[in-house]
Amino acid sequence: MLKAPSRNQIDTLLKYYQSKNYIKTKKFALSLTENFPNHEFAWKILSIVLKKTGKISESLIASEKLVEIKPQDALANYNLGNTYRELAKFSKAEESYKKAISLKPDFSEAYYNLGIVSKNNSKLEEAEKYYKQAIHLQPNFAEAYNNLGTVLEGLQKLDEAEICYKKAIALKPNFAEAYNNLGTNLEQQGKLKDAQISYEKAVLINPGLTNAHRQLSLIKKFNSYDKQYHLLQKLYLDRNISDEQRCHINFSLAKIHDDLENFEKAFKHLSEGNRIQKKLLKYNIKKDIELFNQVKLNFQQIEQISPRIQKNKIDLTPIFIIGMPRSGTTLVEQIISSHSKVTGLGELPFVSQFGYSITTGQVECNEETISKFRNDYLEKLGSLTDQNLIATDKMPQNFLYTGLIAASFPEAKILHIKRNPAAVCWANYRQWFKSNDLGYSYSIDDIIEYHRLYEDLMKFWNYTLKNKIYKVDYEALTIHHEDEIKKLITYLGLSWEESCLSPEENSRSVSTASNIQIRNKIFKGSSQKWKKYKPFLNGKLDSLDILKNP
């Protein structure tokens, strides 16, 4: 048997590939790999063709074979890492990229992709390091600047992130994604006019960047069916767009019709957008039902450890703000963080990151694991705070971890924000969430069931934890805000400051879906807005409405 294919065979394979006849390319490449199993060229073409035709799992075999044949080939290891990453095998992807870098120390693309893997694994400090190394090796690497910006945002470094996005745009003036990310960054900082300009630039460059359209529609107040609306309508009728794009388009059109009080059309687009997103996430509420049951069952072990947990040398005191998403947690954080002694840190992922396995019984619950959870959390919290020793964490769904929080942080304050259930359920339904962990929110029936699970769990916490949870009534807060805010500040043990009455003047950045609303004065009618859609809901939210006679 020949050790290598002939020149004619290689030319034939290349001819098929270059003419984009991938069926013949694959067939001929397979025959060459059978006849010449240790010759890399056919394996390389086979790997590429399988990727191009969407057969990523099959291409992995070819990529692994290439590395087996040429283990010291940096590019082969790098391409294998890319294949692992596409298959979400992040630890193996990391190994391959590091191997590629060991063979080629100036491999900037490998550092860049290591940054992507680290970010996917929520290792933001590592991702920052890798992106910066990629930029050091390739100073004009616009994509690395853009991705570094997203990581810096996750690390609460919004000013640095803004610089990175602007650098990416300077290097690549038609970088639509960077304009979109810059818009998000500016919106979080409360620079709404500048954010709108950035979003508009993004969709001008790439009209099919539907995520930017959705964010632009949220920041604008529509007084007519303008140019953006007509462009979105054209995109909506395009049969070639992806489900993901169609989802963003529907949420955008829903917002436009809502502004123009065409509620029937708004509901139609909301229904379609939600249906698509639920399908994309492959959500089934049975998974959440099981999770809530696990949380309650495992609390008994956590509760037994609680008396043995003591404050350590860290004097930092967290304030946990919990409740359903869209229940008013952002407003409460804005009020509290208006106080000079409090730093508002927004929605932090650390409780679930360090505590999920304990809460669900995946690791043994003992004094050591609880103490480690406490120390890891406080270390992360401390790295984000300024000189203040009190900091807020307003991740709403930390309500799942309330038992663990109470056991691990005896000095902490836990605030539960309670809002009219009908308003909360509707607010969840009309919102596209960046997090993939809120799959329940894309079906009215799922939302109602999830809200029932949440209320049941909060009753459980209130019973078992007695007086450790302070309830904030959202409607009372918006109607009698001065009295309610003063009671809240007193409960937190803080001295009174008038600034707490004007949360709209708080200049801190806000990254949640409420980042536009909280720039305005406290509004008391928001819990009635869902009633505009009552004719289309078939009475599904009526029984949840506790404000029937406002």
Side-chain angles (χ1 to χ4, degrees):
M1 185 183 290
L2 292 173
K3 292 183 179 179
S6 67
R7 181 74 255 173
N8 183 55
Q9 287 173 314
I10 289 175
D11 287 344
T12 300
L13 182 59
L14 277 173
K15 182 183 72 174
Y16 289 150
Y17 176 70
Q18 289 169 350
S19 65
K20 297 184 179 180
N21 189 335
Y22 296 142
I23 294 174
K24 283 189 175 181
T25 305
K26 177 184 173 183
K27 186 176 179 180
F28 196 66
L30 281 169
S31 70
L32 291 181
T33 59
E34 288 176 10
N35 292 316
F36 311 101
N38 293 316
H39 193 273
E40 75 273 10
F41 185 73
W43 287 111
K44 186 180 295 185
I45 295 295
L46 181 60
S47 172
I48 294 169
V49 167
L50 289 169
K51 274 191 179 182
K52 283 183 176 290
T53 55
K55 298 182 180 352
I56 309 299
S57 296
E58 291 180 40
S59 77
L60 177 61
I61 298 169
S63 298
E64 288 177 331
K65 184 65 178 178
L66 268 173
V67 171
E68 182 186 322
I69 295 168
K70 299 190 72 177
Q72 300 305 306
D73 187 328
L75 186 58
N77 280 280
Y78 170 76
N79 287 332
L80 176 58
N82 288 342
T83 307
Y84 281 134
R85 182 167 61 84
E86 289 181 64
L87 292 168
K89 297 183 177 183
F90 298 124
S91 60
K92 283 195 169 286
E94 185 176 352
E95 289 175 20
S96 295
Y97 291 137
K98 286 181 177 178
K99 177 66 174 177
I101 289 167
S102 72
L103 296 166
K104 186 183 176 187
D106 63 346
F107 206 155
S108 59
E109 289 83 1
Y111 277 109
Y112 172 77
N113 283 353
L114 266 177
I116 294 173
V117 168
S118 296
K119 188 186 176 190
N120 285 338
N121 288 330
S122 299
K123 298 176 180 177
L124 298 187
E125 290 87 355
E126 283 187 17
E128 179 184 6
K129 179 184 70 175
Y130 290 134
Y131 285 134
K132 284 183 175 178
Q133 182 62 18
I135 290 166
H136 173 73
L137 293 168
Q138 190 178 328
N140 294 330
F141 203 157
E143 289 77 10
Y145 273 109
N146 180 58
N147 283 20
L148 176 58
T150 63
V151 166
L152 290 169
E153 277 189 14
L155 293 169
Q156 308 287 317
K157 300 176 182 179
L158 290 189
D159 291 341
E160 293 179 46
E162 181 182 349
I163 293 168
C164 285
Y165 295 137
K166 288 180 175 177
K167 180 67 175 178
I169 291 165
L171 291 168
K172 190 177 176 181
N174 288 327
F175 201 164
E177 290 81 3
Y179 273 109
N180 183 38
N181 288 336
L182 176 60
T184 303
N185 176 280
L186 294 168
E187 190 178 329
Q188 290 178 54
Q189 296 183 61
K191 302 174 183 178
L192 301 184
K193 289 183 180 178
D194 291 339
Q196 180 172 335
I197 291 169
S198 196
Y199 290 139
E200 288 172 341
K201 185 69 173 177
V203 297
L204 180 66
I205 295 168
N206 181 4
L209 192 59
T210 54
N211 185 38
H213 272 294
R214 183 183 53 76
Q215 295 187 109
L216 176 58
S217 70
L218 288 173
I219 212 170
K220 283 170 63 176
K221 176 67 177 176
F222 290 84
N223 299 310
S224 65
Y225 291 111
D226 64 6
K227 184 178 178 181
Q228 187 193 2
Y229 166 77
H230 291 294
L231 178 55
L232 283 165
Q233 274 294 116
K234 184 178 178 181
L235 288 169
Y236 178 73
L237 296 172
D238 185 350
R239 295 182 179 180
N240 295 317
I241 62 172
S242 68
D243 280 348
E244 183 179 353
Q245 288 176 302
R246 189 171 296 280
C247 176
H248 289 304
I249 290 167
N250 274 291
F251 274 95
S252 302
L253 290 171
K255 167 58 165 59
I256 295 171
H257 287 303
D258 183 87
D259 278 355
L260 297 171
E261 299 189 349
N262 190 336
F263 301 119
E264 185 174 3
K265 283 190 176 180
F267 186 77
K268 171 185 173 292
H269 285 294
L270 266 182
S271 298
E272 185 176 347
N274 276 293
R275 188 167 58 250
I276 293 170
Q277 185 67 357
K278 179 177 177 177
K279 183 180 77 171
L280 289 171
L281 293 177
K282 298 177 182 177
Y283 176 77
N284 189 319
I285 198 159
K286 289 180 181 178
K287 187 175 180 181
D288 276 323
I289 293 171
E290 183 181 342
L291 173 62
F292 278 72
N293 287 333
Q294 285 179 329
V295 168
K296 285 195 281 188
L297 285 171
N298 285 299
F299 177 65
Q300 188 175 0
Q301 281 185 298
I302 295 172
E303 191 176 25
Q304 291 172 355
I305 307 298
S306 179
R308 302 201 291 274
I309 300 299
Q310 301 295 324
K311 283 185 66 175
N312 54 19
K313 294 179 181 178
I314 301 176
D315 294 320
L316 190 60
T317 301
I319 298 173
F320 295 96
I321 303 171
I322 62 173
M324 279 287 288
R326 311 295 290 148
S327 62
T329 54
T330 301
L331 173 60
V332 171
E333 183 179 48
Q334 280 292 95
I335 290 168
I336 298 169
S337 61
S338 296
H339 196 284
S340 62
K341 300 294 184 183
V342 180
T343 300
L345 295 178
E347 296 184 355
L348 302 178
F350 308 130
V351 170
S352 61
Q353 183 180 332
F354 301 132
Y356 179 84
S357 58
I358 301 172
T359 303
T360 56
Q362 294 179 19
V363 299
E364 184 182 352
C365 178
N366 53 42
E367 193 170 342
E368 182 182 352
T369 54
I370 297 286
S371 295
K372 186 178 188 311
F373 164 74
R374 173 186 169 85
N375 294 334
D376 287 346
Y377 178 86
L378 288 175
E379 183 180 346
K380 285 287 189 181
L381 198 69
S383 70
L384 297 174
T385 54
D386 46 29
Q387 74 278 7
N388 286 329
L389 293 177
I390 303 173
T392 57
D393 177 345
K394 63 134 298 209
M395 178 61 79
Q397 286 191 289
N398 279 345
F399 72 76
L400 284 163
Y401 306 94
T402 304
L404 178 62
I405 289 169
S408 306
F409 305 101
E411 73 277 29
K413 300 290 187 181
I414 304 173
L415 310 179
H416 173 214
I417 318 306
K418 191 76 173 69
R419 187 183 181 190
N420 180 24
V424 169
C425 289
W426 175 249
N428 275 254
Y429 187 67
R430 65 176 298 180
Q431 180 68 44
W432 182 92
F433 289 101
K434 186 176 181 180
S435 170
N436 289 339
D437 295 330
L438 304 177
Y440 71 86
S441 65
Y442 302 106
S443 157
I444 289 287
D445 291 334
D446 287 343
I447 293 170
I448 292 170
E449 175 62 14
Y450 190 91
H451 192 275
R452 185 194 66 75
L453 293 169
Y454 144 77
E455 287 200 316
D456 180 65
L457 183 60
M458 288 312 304
K459 286 178 184 176
F460 175 77
W461 294 137
N462 283 317
Y463 176 76
T464 54
L465 300 176
K466 305 305 177 190
N467 299 317
K468 291 186 179 180
I469 303 171
Y470 181 87
K471 178 184 170 183
V472 178
D473 185 311
Y474 175 79
E475 279 76 32
L477 180 67
T478 58
I479 296 170
H480 310 292
H481 59 272
E482 185 169 347
D483 289 342
E484 294 298 319
I485 290 171
K486 285 182 176 179
K487 284 194 287 185
L488 175 59
I489 297 302
T490 299
Y491 169 75
L492 294 173
L494 297 167
S495 58
W496 177 246
E497 292 183 5
E498 289 292 321
S499 57
C500 295
L501 293 176
S502 304
E504 73 278 3
E505 295 177 10
N506 189 339
S507 61
R508 62 177 286 271
S509 63
V510 178
S511 60
T512 67
S514 303
N515 58 7
I516 298 172
Q517 296 97 308
I518 53 87
R519 305 297 177 190
N520 301 314
K521 289 186 177 182
I522 295 174
F523 172 58
K524 66 180 181 180
S526 62
S527 290
Q528 299 293 330
K529 285 186 174 182
W530 74 273
K531 292 184 177 179
K532 295 175 181 177
Y533 291 86
K534 228 179 158 183
F536 318 110
L537 290 166
N538 298 319
K540 288 189 176 182
L541 298 183
D542 291 1
S543 64
L544 298 177
D545 184 19
I546 60 173
L547 301 176
K548 293 175 182 175
N549 297 299

